[in-house]
Amino acid sequence: MIHHTMIVSFADSVPTAELDQFLKDIEQVMRDSGQIQTFAASQHIRVAADDHSPGPAATAIVQIALADLHALNASFTAPGLEDVIKCWQSRHPYKVVWANHEPLS
């Protein structure tokens, strides 16, 4: 099993309802791809130290579990993923950093 963990950082503040919809849109396109085993997402819990981060502070964390490297590679070409990304980037620009790894526990 491989986990794909994404740290999403929106350039500006995003209303909670819209952030929730962004996460739902990502989850739906990933589930529709048939490539993932599990999907989990959460909003970042802000602390004062975020103001001193050397990089942009996270807005949300997404973790997707996939069976293997083949499924991970296929997930990047999931039908509809590009459309979801373009839609949200046009509404609320964001950056993503990710790590692909074995389960942590």
Side-chain angles (χ1 to χ4, degrees):
M1 178 179 298
I2 296 176
H3 282 205
H4 177 70
T5 301
M6 300 185 304
I7 299 172
V8 182
S9 179
F10 283 88
D12 297 312
S13 179
V14 177
T16 300
E18 289 189 65
L19 182 55
D20 289 345
Q21 188 60 54
F22 166 79
L23 296 172
K24 286 177 186 176
D25 290 352
I26 295 294
E27 179 177 10
Q28 189 62 54
V29 76
M30 287 289 94
R31 289 199 184 278
D32 289 348
S33 76
Q35 299 298 328
I36 72 170
Q37 294 182 340
T38 64
F39 181 97
S42 181
Q43 292 187 23
H44 169 68
I45 299 169
R46 186 162 174 70
V47 296
D50 289 347
D51 294 337
H52 307 289
S53 173
T59 306
I61 308 298
V62 174
Q63 189 170 77
I64 302 167
L66 304 105
D68 53 29
L69 191 57
H70 174 75
L72 174 62
N73 283 322
S75 75
F76 283 97
T77 61
L81 180 60
E82 188 174 332
D83 292 335
V84 168
I85 291 169
K86 284 181 181 178
C87 172
W88 281 98
Q89 283 286 3
S90 70
R91 292 171 63 186
H92 298 287
Y94 64 90
K95 293 184 180 183
V96 176
V97 175
W98 66 71
N100 302 313
H101 54 91
E102 293 182 2
L104 299 176
S105 59

